[in-house]
Every structure is written in C-alpha cells, then in structure tokens.
Amino acid sequence: MAFDASVFLDALFSTAFLNGALITVSLALLSHAVGIAISIPAALYISGPPSMLRGLTKVVLGVLRGAPTLLQLLFVWNALPQFFPIFREPWFSPFLAAWIALSLNEAAYQTEINRAALGAIDPGQQSAGTALGMTRFQILRFVTLPQAIRVALPPTANEFITLLKITSLASVISLSELMSVTSRAVATTFQFTEYYAAALVYYLVMVYVLIFLQARLERRLVWNTSVSESEPSMVQKALAFARRS
Amino acid sequence: MVQHMSEMIRIENVSKRYADFVALNNVNLTIEAGAKVVICGPSGSGKSTLIRCMNYLAPHDSGTIAIDGVEPKGRRNIEKVRREVGMVFQNFNLFPHLTVLENCILAPVQVRKLPRARAEALARQFLARVHIAEQANKYPSQLSGGQQQRVAIARALCMEPKAMLFDEPTSALDPEMVGEVLDVMVELAGDGITMVCVTHEMAFARKVADSIVFMDKGQIVEVAPPEQFFTAASSARARTFLSQLQY
Ligand SMILES: Nc1ncnc2c1ncn2[C@@H]1O[C@H](COP(=O)(O)OP(=O)(O)OP(=O)(O)O)[C@@H](O)[C@H]1O
Ligand SMILES: [Mg+2]
C-alpha cells in the first residue's frame, strides 16, 4: 500500500487533528501547571524533619507515583462519581477528569524532582543567609529557590515531554485528544500510515517547540560561563528524547 | 548580674550536644567590645560549634549567650541580634546565582531595608576596602578562592555589624591566597571592630589577637595573651597542640 500524500496533508491540516492537538497540549500544560503548584510546597514540606504527617504524605505521593497512570485516569473518571455525587453532574467532563488525574500524578513526580533539587543546594547557603539575619522566607525566596529552580528545570522539561505523550492515555475515557482523533480516522479509513504520520508530526512539533523554549529559559537562568559551556546541546536533548519515546 | 556595657559577647555555662556527643561542655567566655580573640584547638574540639553558637546559628542546649547585653528569645529576636554579628565561613558560602555586588546588597536591602542606592554605595565602599572593587559585576565562580573570601568579608561588613566571626577563613585556600585574606583581616582589626576568629594561622594570631582561647574536648582549657600562650602555655594539652603545629 503506497503512502497517499494528499490524505496525509488533509489530515495534517484538518480541524479535527488541530483540535486534538490543542486538547493534548492544553491538557498537558494545565496538568503540569497544577502539578508544579502542588509540588513546590509538597517538596518543601517533605524535606523537613520526619513526622507522622510527613510519613503519610510520602505514602500518598508514593501511591500516586506507583499506580499506573491509566488506572488513575479510569479511577477518577469512573470511581469518583460513585463516591461523590457532585461528580455525576454533566460538568464533569472527560477533560476535567483527565486534568485531575494527570495533575495529581504529575504533582507526585514533580515533588520528587523538586525535593532532589532542594537537596542539591549546599547547606552552607542556608547558613550564610541565616547569619546575615535573613528570615526563613527570605532565604527561600532569594537564596534557595532561585538555585533549586535552575537544577530542577531540565528534569521538569523532560517530565513535560513525558506528560505530553501520556495524555494519549486519556483516549480511554473518551477524551478527543490527538491520539483518539487519529485512531478514529484510522478505524474508518484503514489508512494507518498517513494518519499516524500526521499525528507524529504534531507530537514532534509540540516537543521541539518545548525543547527550544527550555533551552532559551535555561540560557537566561545561567549564572556563569562554566555552566553554559557544560550545557547539553539541542542534539543531545533530541537524542535523549528519542530514547525515552 | 552586673551588666557591663563593654561586653560584646558573654557566654555563660553553655553546653551543647549532638545526640550523645558532648560538643560543648559548660563553656564560659566573655568577649569585650573591640577585642580580637583567636580560638584554636585540635580538630573536633568544638571551635566551630562555639563560634556558631555566638550568633545562634547553632542553638545551644543550656546556659546563656548574650550579644551586646541582649539575650534574644524567639526567632524574630534572634534574627534581629544576628544583624549585629557578621560571619565568615571556611567555604565562603557566597550566593552563586548572584553577582558580587548583588551578594553584598541582598541582606542590606531585605533585612536592613536600606534603599537600593544606599546599599549599593555601601557595598562598593566595602568591596573597595577588601581591594576587590573592580570585580563587582562578576559571579563568585569567576573569582579565585582568596577573592571569594574577601567578597564574603565585604558581604558581612555591609550589614555594619558590631562583631565579626570567622571560622577558619583561610583553611580552604591555596597557600598563595592566604596572605591576601589575612591582610584584609589585619586591616579590619585596626578599625576597632570586635573580632572572633577560629584559625591556626599563628603569625596572624600573634599580630592581632588580644587573647588566645584554647579548646579541647568541648571545653575551654586556657585563655591567655598570645605571647604567653606561645611561649609558656600553662596547660600540657596546649603545649602538646603547639608542638604538633610545628610540622
Ligand atoms: N551537625 C553535627 N551533628 C553531629 N555531630 C556534630 C555536628 N557538628 C559537629 N559535630 C561533632 O562535634 C564535634 C565538634 O565539632 P566542631 O565542628 O565544633 O569542631 P572543630 O573544633 O570546629 O573541628 P575542626 O577543626 O575539624 O573544624 C566534632 O566531633 C563533630 O564531629
Ligand atoms: Mg571547625
């Protein structure tokens, strides 16, 4: 069977694919945003001295990281309405369910990244800030966090790439993201290659735009020449991406 | 208890332990305003612990520590008292994401609430005093160890503290850079600021110290003027320690 370029191009510029891609990218962005918002206080919290509540938090985060994302999606979509009647209302859409499930899942992974980044900061930084009479909040705001963000940025960007691909799981709860649009087109026409190629182009464009933005952000955050010299190149990052796919 | 206005740091019956290990065992020491005190002693004797207790960086378990007549209670008061006491660390602990100038103005702006322009003028003045004015816009990683330590001294001075604490300020430096840091400290000592310095640089101690505090096993074993300490230490432990320093 030959590759029909016109089918490929029609799919590429169809509103269905464009909408699917928009749902994919907005689901990934919104889930990551909520995940990061939860993860920063969570990471600061679990970095403290051990206690009952900290132990419990770690267990919850462990469950969210350990359970398959597919299971979490199905759980939120199917089981939540059984427990809480408010989730039986029509506003509880597949998109919302996917957003909740992926946000929680992402929060758990991102907490791990942030905790490691905070742990990588020399305790001497804290001592120096303290000795200067700074409050704990001032030390966090002006000393620790700016350094931790720099450490956390590359793994965070990788995490987003993974998340972008994981959104395709939401097709099981009938969310019309890019992958389910593709599957539907294939199911009616059986022109696998053309539609899969169109989907691939969308995913790659989204990922490479992200890698480009990440590289720019990292360059802005670099605070000395020696770091920028050891920066992995775009090519290295693309290779790393290919390995994870 | 009689309050002497000239007492900068008063340490009374201070003890501190790490789990089962006694790091400070009933330490008493009074440091007069303007005094230059050098603390020395074998590794693990509690020198760092003692100097970190002086600005409440390490909490002590018992006893009292008063700074300029005040024994601060509660986090807010402790933070306030810390502004009066600058500290310089063995590993510099400069903020790597900030330039030299930003390192020096961060705390003055955030803690002392100085206007930025005023803080910057102050920073340039102190950077000039440690002979490093021309490096103001560089990042710490672009400087040598000796330069970084001088920036750390300037950063502490920008809080205009009444006392300065130094914990082995030259022991992480290459030998050829020790001199430039000690020179700055000798100049600083001439300005009348209270200075407490943990160091094994005995030539420096002879030159600037009014008294040498010798510690061993979490206790102050001997306090003596430098001449007496180096030529006729009264404790056997201090004499052993000094003889080992020869090598
Ligand atoms: N955070 C800590 N937890 C447990 N033990 C500690 C801690 N800090 C210091 N100690 C112990 O307390 C003792 C005194 O330490 P301190 O750092 O005050 O010694 P020091 O005289 O400064 O030694 P050095 O010359 O090696 O710097 C050491 O035996 C050390 O192992
Ligand atoms: Mg020490």
Side-chain angles (χ1 to χ4, degrees), chain A residues 124-125 127-128 130 132-136 138 142-143 146-147 223-224, chain B residues 52 57 75-76 79 82 93-97 110-111 139 141 155 159:
Chain A
Q125 295 289 302
S127 302
T130 308
L132 286 164
M134 293 167 80
T135 63
R136 285 188 293 193
Q138 287 171 336
F142 297 107
V143 178
Q147 296 180 53
W223 57 71
N224 64 45
Chain B
R52 290 169 77 91
L57 200 55
R75 193 155 49 82
R76 293 270 157 220
E79 280 161 7
R82 283 202 191 106
N93 292 344
L94 292 176
F95 305 131
H97 60 302
Q110 298 301 329
V111 179
Y139 284 91
S141 61
R155 177 177 70 175
M159 292 298 285

PDB file of all heavy atoms in Angstrom, chain A residues 124-125 127-128 130 132-136 138 142-143 146-147 223-224, chain B residues 52 57 75-76 79 82 93-97 110-111 139 141 155 159:
ATOM      1  N   GLY A 124      25.436  25.225  53.299  1.00  0.00           N
ATOM      2  CA  GLY A 124      26.149  26.470  53.605  1.00  0.00           C
ATOM      3  C   GLY A 124      25.405  27.705  53.125  1.00  0.00           C
ATOM      4  O   GLY A 124      25.558  28.785  53.694  1.00  0.00           O
ATOM      5  N   GLN A 125      24.589  27.551  52.073  1.00  0.00           N
ATOM      6  CA  GLN A 125      23.801  28.673  51.567  1.00  0.00           C
ATOM      7  C   GLN A 125      22.791  29.126  52.613  1.00  0.00           C
ATOM      8  O   GLN A 125      22.593  30.319  52.843  1.00  0.00           O
ATOM      9  CB  GLN A 125      23.070  28.255  50.287  1.00  0.00           C
ATOM     10  CG  GLN A 125      24.002  27.949  49.141  1.00  0.00           C
ATOM     11  CD  GLN A 125      24.651  29.201  48.615  1.00  0.00           C
ATOM     12  OE1 GLN A 125      23.975  30.132  48.199  1.00  0.00           O
ATOM     13  NE2 GLN A 125      25.963  29.240  48.637  1.00  0.00           N
ATOM     14  N   SER A 127      23.091  28.562  55.836  1.00  0.00           N
ATOM     15  CA  SER A 127      23.852  29.155  56.948  1.00  0.00           C
ATOM     16  C   SER A 127      24.200  30.600  56.651  1.00  0.00           C
ATOM     17  O   SER A 127      24.085  31.468  57.520  1.00  0.00           O
ATOM     18  CB  SER A 127      25.139  28.372  57.192  1.00  0.00           C
ATOM     19  OG  SER A 127      24.856  27.035  57.476  1.00  0.00           O
ATOM     20  N   ALA A 128      24.647  30.861  55.409  1.00  0.00           N
ATOM     21  CA  ALA A 128      25.062  32.218  55.056  1.00  0.00           C
ATOM     22  C   ALA A 128      23.879  33.180  55.158  1.00  0.00           C
ATOM     23  O   ALA A 128      23.998  34.266  55.724  1.00  0.00           O
ATOM     24  CB  ALA A 128      25.650  32.240  53.646  1.00  0.00           C
ATOM     25  N   THR A 130      21.149  32.793  56.946  1.00  0.00           N
ATOM     26  CA  THR A 130      20.776  32.915  58.351  1.00  0.00           C
ATOM     27  C   THR A 130      21.715  33.873  59.082  1.00  0.00           C
ATOM     28  O   THR A 130      21.270  34.750  59.817  1.00  0.00           O
ATOM     29  CB  THR A 130      20.818  31.532  59.036  1.00  0.00           C
ATOM     30  OG1 THR A 130      20.036  30.623  58.256  1.00  0.00           O
ATOM     31  CG2 THR A 130      20.249  31.592  60.434  1.00  0.00           C
ATOM     32  N   LEU A 132      23.266  36.277  57.969  1.00  0.00           N
ATOM     33  CA  LEU A 132      23.035  37.662  57.550  1.00  0.00           C
ATOM     34  C   LEU A 132      21.750  38.236  58.148  1.00  0.00           C
ATOM     35  O   LEU A 132      21.363  39.356  57.832  1.00  0.00           O
ATOM     36  CB  LEU A 132      22.984  37.756  56.026  1.00  0.00           C
ATOM     37  CG  LEU A 132      24.337  37.621  55.313  1.00  0.00           C
ATOM     38  CD1 LEU A 132      24.148  37.337  53.836  1.00  0.00           C
ATOM     39  CD2 LEU A 132      25.176  38.880  55.517  1.00  0.00           C
ATOM     40  N   GLY A 133      21.068  37.434  58.969  1.00  0.00           N
ATOM     41  CA  GLY A 133      19.859  37.916  59.629  1.00  0.00           C
ATOM     42  C   GLY A 133      18.609  37.773  58.790  1.00  0.00           C
ATOM     43  O   GLY A 133      17.565  38.333  59.123  1.00  0.00           O
ATOM     44  N   MET A 134      18.709  37.032  57.667  1.00  0.00           N
ATOM     45  CA  MET A 134      17.529  36.870  56.823  1.00  0.00           C
ATOM     46  C   MET A 134      16.539  35.912  57.479  1.00  0.00           C
ATOM     47  O   MET A 134      16.925  35.004  58.206  1.00  0.00           O
ATOM     48  CB  MET A 134      17.937  36.332  55.444  1.00  0.00           C
ATOM     49  CG  MET A 134      18.766  37.329  54.653  1.00  0.00           C
ATOM     50  SD  MET A 134      19.561  36.585  53.217  1.00  0.00           S
ATOM     51  CE  MET A 134      18.192  36.568  52.081  1.00  0.00           C
ATOM     52  N   THR A 135      15.248  36.123  57.188  1.00  0.00           N
ATOM     53  CA  THR A 135      14.223  35.218  57.706  1.00  0.00           C
ATOM     54  C   THR A 135      14.215  33.958  56.851  1.00  0.00           C
ATOM     55  O   THR A 135      14.767  33.928  55.751  1.00  0.00           O
ATOM     56  CB  THR A 135      12.823  35.846  57.641  1.00  0.00           C
ATOM     57  OG1 THR A 135      12.500  36.070  56.269  1.00  0.00           O
ATOM     58  CG2 THR A 135      12.770  37.175  58.387  1.00  0.00           C
ATOM     59  N   ARG A 136      13.531  32.933  57.359  1.00  0.00           N
ATOM     60  CA  ARG A 136      13.478  31.681  56.599  1.00  0.00           C
ATOM     61  C   ARG A 136      12.832  31.900  55.233  1.00  0.00           C
ATOM     62  O   ARG A 136      13.255  31.335  54.228  1.00  0.00           O
ATOM     63  CB  ARG A 136      12.693  30.624  57.399  1.00  0.00           C
ATOM     64  CG  ARG A 136      13.519  30.085  58.556  1.00  0.00           C
ATOM     65  CD  ARG A 136      12.838  28.912  59.213  1.00  0.00           C
ATOM     66  NE  ARG A 136      11.606  29.336  59.873  1.00  0.00           N
ATOM     67  CZ  ARG A 136      10.934  28.562  60.739  1.00  0.00           C
ATOM     68  NH1 ARG A 136      11.380  27.367  61.032  1.00  0.00           N
ATOM     69  NH2 ARG A 136       9.837  28.995  61.308  1.00  0.00           N
ATOM     70  N   GLN A 138      12.806  34.727  53.485  1.00  0.00           N
ATOM     71  CA  GLN A 138      13.740  35.472  52.627  1.00  0.00           C
ATOM     72  C   GLN A 138      14.820  34.562  52.057  1.00  0.00           C
ATOM     73  O   GLN A 138      15.196  34.698  50.895  1.00  0.00           O
ATOM     74  CB  GLN A 138      14.381  36.619  53.420  1.00  0.00           C
ATOM     75  CG  GLN A 138      13.436  37.773  53.679  1.00  0.00           C
ATOM     76  CD  GLN A 138      14.006  38.786  54.648  1.00  0.00           C
ATOM     77  OE1 GLN A 138      14.873  38.473  55.472  1.00  0.00           O
ATOM     78  NE2 GLN A 138      13.534  40.017  54.564  1.00  0.00           N
ATOM     79  N   PHE A 142      15.107  34.228  48.073  1.00  0.00           N
ATOM     80  CA  PHE A 142      16.216  34.880  47.387  1.00  0.00           C
ATOM     81  C   PHE A 142      17.454  33.998  47.246  1.00  0.00           C
ATOM     82  O   PHE A 142      18.341  34.305  46.463  1.00  0.00           O
ATOM     83  CB  PHE A 142      16.618  36.178  48.117  1.00  0.00           C
ATOM     84  CG  PHE A 142      15.527  37.200  48.144  1.00  0.00           C
ATOM     85  CD1 PHE A 142      14.844  37.470  49.315  1.00  0.00           C
ATOM     86  CD2 PHE A 142      15.163  37.878  46.988  1.00  0.00           C
ATOM     87  CE1 PHE A 142      13.820  38.402  49.336  1.00  0.00           C
ATOM     88  CE2 PHE A 142      14.140  38.816  47.001  1.00  0.00           C
ATOM     89  CZ  PHE A 142      13.462  39.075  48.174  1.00  0.00           C
ATOM     90  N   VAL A 143      17.543  32.941  48.038  1.00  0.00           N
ATOM     91  CA  VAL A 143      18.763  32.131  48.020  1.00  0.00           C
ATOM     92  C   VAL A 143      18.493  30.709  47.523  1.00  0.00           C
ATOM     93  O   VAL A 143      19.059  30.266  46.524  1.00  0.00           O
ATOM     94  CB  VAL A 143      19.418  32.086  49.430  1.00  0.00           C
ATOM     95  CG1 VAL A 143      20.655  31.206  49.412  1.00  0.00           C
ATOM     96  CG2 VAL A 143      19.767  33.499  49.887  1.00  0.00           C
ATOM     97  N   PRO A 146      15.851  30.188  43.907  1.00  0.00           N
ATOM     98  CA  PRO A 146      16.445  30.513  42.605  1.00  0.00           C
ATOM     99  C   PRO A 146      17.484  29.482  42.161  1.00  0.00           C
ATOM    100  O   PRO A 146      17.608  29.184  40.980  1.00  0.00           O
ATOM    101  CB  PRO A 146      17.103  31.881  42.841  1.00  0.00           C
ATOM    102  CG  PRO A 146      16.402  32.459  43.996  1.00  0.00           C
ATOM    103  CD  PRO A 146      15.984  31.303  44.865  1.00  0.00           C
ATOM    104  N   GLN A 147      18.222  28.927  43.129  1.00  0.00           N
ATOM    105  CA  GLN A 147      19.219  27.922  42.772  1.00  0.00           C
ATOM    106  C   GLN A 147      18.561  26.576  42.469  1.00  0.00           C
ATOM    107  O   GLN A 147      18.973  25.860  41.559  1.00  0.00           O
ATOM    108  CB  GLN A 147      20.237  27.761  43.906  1.00  0.00           C
ATOM    109  CG  GLN A 147      21.056  29.027  44.139  1.00  0.00           C
ATOM    110  CD  GLN A 147      22.063  28.847  45.257  1.00  0.00           C
ATOM    111  OE1 GLN A 147      22.845  27.912  45.251  1.00  0.00           O
ATOM    112  NE2 GLN A 147      22.041  29.749  46.221  1.00  0.00           N
ATOM    113  N   TRP A 223      24.116  31.392  35.427  1.00  0.00           N
ATOM    114  CA  TRP A 223      24.742  32.500  36.128  1.00  0.00           C
ATOM    115  C   TRP A 223      26.258  32.513  36.031  1.00  0.00           C
ATOM    116  O   TRP A 223      26.929  33.246  36.710  1.00  0.00           O
ATOM    117  CB  TRP A 223      24.281  32.601  37.564  1.00  0.00           C
ATOM    118  CG  TRP A 223      24.511  31.372  38.391  1.00  0.00           C
ATOM    119  CD1 TRP A 223      25.689  30.906  38.830  1.00  0.00           C
ATOM    120  CD2 TRP A 223      23.507  30.478  38.868  1.00  0.00           C
ATOM    121  NE1 TRP A 223      25.488  29.772  39.548  1.00  0.00           N
ATOM    122  CE2 TRP A 223      24.174  29.485  39.594  1.00  0.00           C
ATOM    123  CE3 TRP A 223      22.111  30.436  38.757  1.00  0.00           C
ATOM    124  CZ2 TRP A 223      23.487  28.454  40.208  1.00  0.00           C
ATOM    125  CZ3 TRP A 223      21.445  29.403  39.370  1.00  0.00           C
ATOM    126  CH2 TRP A 223      22.130  28.429  40.086  1.00  0.00           C
ATOM    127  N   ASN A 224      26.816  31.665  35.214  1.00  0.00           N
ATOM    128  CA  ASN A 224      28.238  31.846  34.922  1.00  0.00           C
ATOM    129  C   ASN A 224      28.609  31.081  33.666  1.00  0.00           C
ATOM    130  O   ASN A 224      27.851  30.249  33.175  1.00  0.00           O
ATOM    131  CB  ASN A 224      29.121  31.437  36.103  1.00  0.00           C
ATOM    132  CG  ASN A 224      28.984  29.964  36.395  1.00  0.00           C
ATOM    133  OD1 ASN A 224      28.992  29.144  35.486  1.00  0.00           O
ATOM    134  ND2 ASN A 224      28.865  29.619  37.647  1.00  0.00           N
TER     135      ASN A 224
ATOM    136  N   ARG B  52      29.589  29.149  66.123  1.00  0.00           N
ATOM    137  CA  ARG B  52      28.240  29.144  65.526  1.00  0.00           C
ATOM    138  C   ARG B  52      27.168  29.376  66.587  1.00  0.00           C
ATOM    139  O   ARG B  52      26.061  29.776  66.254  1.00  0.00           O
ATOM    140  CB  ARG B  52      27.981  27.826  64.789  1.00  0.00           C
ATOM    141  CG  ARG B  52      28.809  27.699  63.514  1.00  0.00           C
ATOM    142  CD  ARG B  52      28.742  26.304  62.947  1.00  0.00           C
ATOM    143  NE  ARG B  52      27.490  26.039  62.256  1.00  0.00           N
ATOM    144  CZ  ARG B  52      27.317  26.248  60.944  1.00  0.00           C
ATOM    145  NH1 ARG B  52      28.297  26.723  60.212  1.00  0.00           N
ATOM    146  NH2 ARG B  52      26.165  25.993  60.390  1.00  0.00           N
ATOM    147  N   LEU B  57      23.505  30.536  65.295  1.00  0.00           N
ATOM    148  CA  LEU B  57      23.368  29.723  64.089  1.00  0.00           C
ATOM    149  C   LEU B  57      23.184  28.261  64.507  1.00  0.00           C
ATOM    150  O   LEU B  57      22.462  27.509  63.881  1.00  0.00           O
ATOM    151  CB  LEU B  57      24.628  29.886  63.227  1.00  0.00           C
ATOM    152  CG  LEU B  57      24.529  29.535  61.764  1.00  0.00           C
ATOM    153  CD1 LEU B  57      23.417  30.302  61.088  1.00  0.00           C
ATOM    154  CD2 LEU B  57      25.851  29.848  61.058  1.00  0.00           C
ATOM    155  N   ARG B  75      12.380  33.460  67.556  1.00  0.00           N
ATOM    156  CA  ARG B  75      13.022  33.542  66.238  1.00  0.00           C
ATOM    157  C   ARG B  75      13.236  34.986  65.788  1.00  0.00           C
ATOM    158  O   ARG B  75      14.311  35.351  65.312  1.00  0.00           O
ATOM    159  CB  ARG B  75      12.185  32.766  65.220  1.00  0.00           C
ATOM    160  CG  ARG B  75      12.873  32.522  63.925  1.00  0.00           C
ATOM    161  CD  ARG B  75      12.315  31.302  63.221  1.00  0.00           C
ATOM    162  NE  ARG B  75      10.858  31.289  63.151  1.00  0.00           N
ATOM    163  CZ  ARG B  75      10.157  31.949  62.226  1.00  0.00           C
ATOM    164  NH1 ARG B  75      10.772  32.663  61.320  1.00  0.00           N
ATOM    165  NH2 ARG B  75       8.853  31.882  62.225  1.00  0.00           N
ATOM    166  N   ARG B  76      12.218  35.832  65.942  1.00  0.00           N
ATOM    167  CA  ARG B  76      12.308  37.233  65.495  1.00  0.00           C
ATOM    168  C   ARG B  76      13.462  37.967  66.175  1.00  0.00           C
ATOM    169  O   ARG B  76      14.239  38.657  65.527  1.00  0.00           O
ATOM    170  CB  ARG B  76      11.003  37.979  65.777  1.00  0.00           C
ATOM    171  CG  ARG B  76       9.850  37.496  64.971  1.00  0.00           C
ATOM    172  CD  ARG B  76       9.735  38.264  63.657  1.00  0.00           C
ATOM    173  NE  ARG B  76       9.002  37.447  62.706  1.00  0.00           N
ATOM    174  CZ  ARG B  76       9.292  37.344  61.412  1.00  0.00           C
ATOM    175  NH1 ARG B  76      10.294  38.019  60.909  1.00  0.00           N
ATOM    176  NH2 ARG B  76       8.582  36.583  60.617  1.00  0.00           N
ATOM    177  N   GLU B  79      16.809  36.720  64.966  1.00  0.00           N
ATOM    178  CA  GLU B  79      17.144  37.272  63.650  1.00  0.00           C
ATOM    179  C   GLU B  79      17.645  38.714  63.765  1.00  0.00           C
ATOM    180  O   GLU B  79      18.554  39.137  63.062  1.00  0.00           O
ATOM    181  CB  GLU B  79      15.914  37.208  62.726  1.00  0.00           C
ATOM    182  CG  GLU B  79      15.709  35.825  62.117  1.00  0.00           C
ATOM    183  CD  GLU B  79      14.305  35.589  61.596  1.00  0.00           C
ATOM    184  OE1 GLU B  79      13.487  36.539  61.578  1.00  0.00           O
ATOM    185  OE2 GLU B  79      14.023  34.444  61.210  1.00  0.00           O
ATOM    186  N   ARG B  82      21.214  38.764  65.103  1.00  0.00           N
ATOM    187  CA  ARG B  82      22.193  38.281  64.118  1.00  0.00           C
ATOM    188  C   ARG B  82      22.707  39.392  63.214  1.00  0.00           C
ATOM    189  O   ARG B  82      23.806  39.316  62.684  1.00  0.00           O
ATOM    190  CB  ARG B  82      21.561  37.195  63.241  1.00  0.00           C
ATOM    191  CG  ARG B  82      21.468  35.865  63.927  1.00  0.00           C
ATOM    192  CD  ARG B  82      21.369  34.768  62.903  1.00  0.00           C
ATOM    193  NE  ARG B  82      21.021  33.514  63.549  1.00  0.00           N
ATOM    194  CZ  ARG B  82      19.824  32.946  63.477  1.00  0.00           C
ATOM    195  NH1 ARG B  82      18.863  33.509  62.752  1.00  0.00           N
ATOM    196  NH2 ARG B  82      19.585  31.828  64.098  1.00  0.00           N
ATOM    197  N   ASN B  93      30.691  30.349  51.150  1.00  0.00           N
ATOM    198  CA  ASN B  93      29.223  30.340  51.086  1.00  0.00           C
ATOM    199  C   ASN B  93      28.651  31.580  50.423  1.00  0.00           C
ATOM    200  O   ASN B  93      27.637  32.125  50.856  1.00  0.00           O
ATOM    201  CB  ASN B  93      28.605  30.177  52.488  1.00  0.00           C
ATOM    202  CG  ASN B  93      28.879  28.812  53.072  1.00  0.00           C
ATOM    203  OD1 ASN B  93      29.268  27.893  52.347  1.00  0.00           O
ATOM    204  ND2 ASN B  93      28.697  28.665  54.368  1.00  0.00           N
ATOM    205  N   LEU B  94      29.298  32.027  49.351  1.00  0.00           N
ATOM    206  CA  LEU B  94      28.708  33.117  48.563  1.00  0.00           C
ATOM    207  C   LEU B  94      27.504  32.563  47.815  1.00  0.00           C
ATOM    208  O   LEU B  94      27.400  31.356  47.587  1.00  0.00           O
ATOM    209  CB  LEU B  94      29.742  33.671  47.576  1.00  0.00           C
ATOM    210  CG  LEU B  94      30.909  34.415  48.220  1.00  0.00           C
ATOM    211  CD1 LEU B  94      31.917  34.823  47.153  1.00  0.00           C
ATOM    212  CD2 LEU B  94      30.429  35.637  48.995  1.00  0.00           C
ATOM    213  N   PHE B  95      26.579  33.447  47.427  1.00  0.00           N
ATOM    214  CA  PHE B  95      25.410  33.012  46.667  1.00  0.00           C
ATOM    215  C   PHE B  95      25.802  32.927  45.188  1.00  0.00           C
ATOM    216  O   PHE B  95      26.063  33.953  44.558  1.00  0.00           O
ATOM    217  CB  PHE B  95      24.250  33.982  46.878  1.00  0.00           C
ATOM    218  CG  PHE B  95      23.900  34.194  48.333  1.00  0.00           C
ATOM    219  CD1 PHE B  95      23.737  35.462  48.850  1.00  0.00           C
ATOM    220  CD2 PHE B  95      23.751  33.101  49.190  1.00  0.00           C
ATOM    221  CE1 PHE B  95      23.418  35.655  50.189  1.00  0.00           C
ATOM    222  CE2 PHE B  95      23.435  33.288  50.532  1.00  0.00           C
ATOM    223  CZ  PHE B  95      23.279  34.570  51.035  1.00  0.00           C
ATOM    224  N   PRO B  96      25.868  31.703  44.624  1.00  0.00           N
ATOM    225  CA  PRO B  96      26.459  31.553  43.290  1.00  0.00           C
ATOM    226  C   PRO B  96      25.609  32.152  42.172  1.00  0.00           C
ATOM    227  O   PRO B  96      26.125  32.431  41.101  1.00  0.00           O
ATOM    228  CB  PRO B  96      26.557  30.025  43.117  1.00  0.00           C
ATOM    229  CG  PRO B  96      25.526  29.479  44.035  1.00  0.00           C
ATOM    230  CD  PRO B  96      25.443  30.427  45.194  1.00  0.00           C
ATOM    231  N   HIS B  97      24.317  32.341  42.426  1.00  0.00           N
ATOM    232  CA  HIS B  97      23.438  32.859  41.368  1.00  0.00           C
ATOM    233  C   HIS B  97      23.403  34.381  41.354  1.00  0.00           C
ATOM    234  O   HIS B  97      22.706  34.971  40.535  1.00  0.00           O
ATOM    235  CB  HIS B  97      22.030  32.305  41.546  1.00  0.00           C
ATOM    236  CG  HIS B  97      21.401  32.671  42.863  1.00  0.00           C
ATOM    237  ND1 HIS B  97      21.967  32.343  44.068  1.00  0.00           N
ATOM    238  CD2 HIS B  97      20.271  33.344  43.158  1.00  0.00           C
ATOM    239  CE1 HIS B  97      21.202  32.804  45.044  1.00  0.00           C
ATOM    240  NE2 HIS B  97      20.171  33.417  44.514  1.00  0.00           N
ATOM    241  N   GLN B 110      17.079  43.581  52.005  1.00  0.00           N
ATOM    242  CA  GLN B 110      15.970  42.778  52.517  1.00  0.00           C
ATOM    243  C   GLN B 110      15.858  42.847  54.040  1.00  0.00           C
ATOM    244  O   GLN B 110      14.754  42.851  54.570  1.00  0.00           O
ATOM    245  CB  GLN B 110      16.125  41.313  52.087  1.00  0.00           C
ATOM    246  CG  GLN B 110      16.095  41.089  50.587  1.00  0.00           C
ATOM    247  CD  GLN B 110      14.803  41.567  49.953  1.00  0.00           C
ATOM    248  OE1 GLN B 110      13.745  41.538  50.568  1.00  0.00           O
ATOM    249  NE2 GLN B 110      14.886  42.026  48.709  1.00  0.00           N
ATOM    250  N   VAL B 111      16.989  42.859  54.714  1.00  0.00           N
ATOM    251  CA  VAL B 111      16.956  42.767  56.170  1.00  0.00           C
ATOM    252  C   VAL B 111      17.003  44.148  56.819  1.00  0.00           C
ATOM    253  O   VAL B 111      16.188  44.473  57.666  1.00  0.00           O
ATOM    254  CB  VAL B 111      18.122  41.890  56.682  1.00  0.00           C
ATOM    255  CG1 VAL B 111      18.121  41.814  58.199  1.00  0.00           C
ATOM    256  CG2 VAL B 111      18.029  40.480  56.086  1.00  0.00           C
ATOM    257  N   TYR B 139      30.494  36.982  38.775  1.00  0.00           N
ATOM    258  CA  TYR B 139      29.854  35.969  39.612  1.00  0.00           C
ATOM    259  C   TYR B 139      30.927  35.285  40.453  1.00  0.00           C
ATOM    260  O   TYR B 139      32.091  35.209  40.037  1.00  0.00           O
ATOM    261  CB  TYR B 139      29.126  34.944  38.741  1.00  0.00           C
ATOM    262  CG  TYR B 139      27.831  35.486  38.195  1.00  0.00           C
ATOM    263  CD1 TYR B 139      27.785  36.127  36.966  1.00  0.00           C
ATOM    264  CD2 TYR B 139      26.659  35.379  38.946  1.00  0.00           C
ATOM    265  CE1 TYR B 139      26.591  36.655  36.485  1.00  0.00           C
ATOM    266  CE2 TYR B 139      25.474  35.898  38.472  1.00  0.00           C
ATOM    267  CZ  TYR B 139      25.441  36.533  37.246  1.00  0.00           C
ATOM    268  OH  TYR B 139      24.264  37.044  36.782  1.00  0.00           O
ATOM    269  N   SER B 141      31.830  32.306  40.940  1.00  0.00           N
ATOM    270  CA  SER B 141      32.608  31.242  40.301  1.00  0.00           C
ATOM    271  C   SER B 141      33.690  31.780  39.379  1.00  0.00           C
ATOM    272  O   SER B 141      34.560  31.035  38.943  1.00  0.00           O
ATOM    273  CB  SER B 141      31.673  30.325  39.513  1.00  0.00           C
ATOM    274  OG  SER B 141      31.027  31.081  38.513  1.00  0.00           O
ATOM    275  N   ARG B 155      30.634  41.215  52.188  1.00  0.00           N
ATOM    276  CA  ARG B 155      29.195  40.959  52.321  1.00  0.00           C
ATOM    277  C   ARG B 155      28.761  41.054  53.780  1.00  0.00           C
ATOM    278  O   ARG B 155      27.733  41.644  54.099  1.00  0.00           O
ATOM    279  CB  ARG B 155      28.861  39.567  51.768  1.00  0.00           C
ATOM    280  CG  ARG B 155      27.400  39.190  51.921  1.00  0.00           C
ATOM    281  CD  ARG B 155      27.086  37.841  51.302  1.00  0.00           C
ATOM    282  NE  ARG B 155      27.665  36.725  52.038  1.00  0.00           N
ATOM    283  CZ  ARG B 155      27.452  35.456  51.759  1.00  0.00           C
ATOM    284  NH1 ARG B 155      26.677  35.128  50.726  1.00  0.00           N
ATOM    285  NH2 ARG B 155      28.011  34.507  52.462  1.00  0.00           N
ATOM    286  N   MET B 159      26.431  44.644  56.447  1.00  0.00           N
ATOM    287  CA  MET B 159      25.385  44.722  57.471  1.00  0.00           C
ATOM    288  C   MET B 159      25.832  45.662  58.605  1.00  0.00           C
ATOM    289  O   MET B 159      25.098  45.853  59.570  1.00  0.00           O
ATOM    290  CB  MET B 159      25.070  43.330  58.024  1.00  0.00           C
ATOM    291  CG  MET B 159      24.399  42.398  57.037  1.00  0.00           C
ATOM    292  SD  MET B 159      22.796  43.005  56.494  1.00  0.00           S
ATOM    293  CE  MET B 159      21.795  42.661  57.960  1.00  0.00           C
TER     294      MET B 159
END
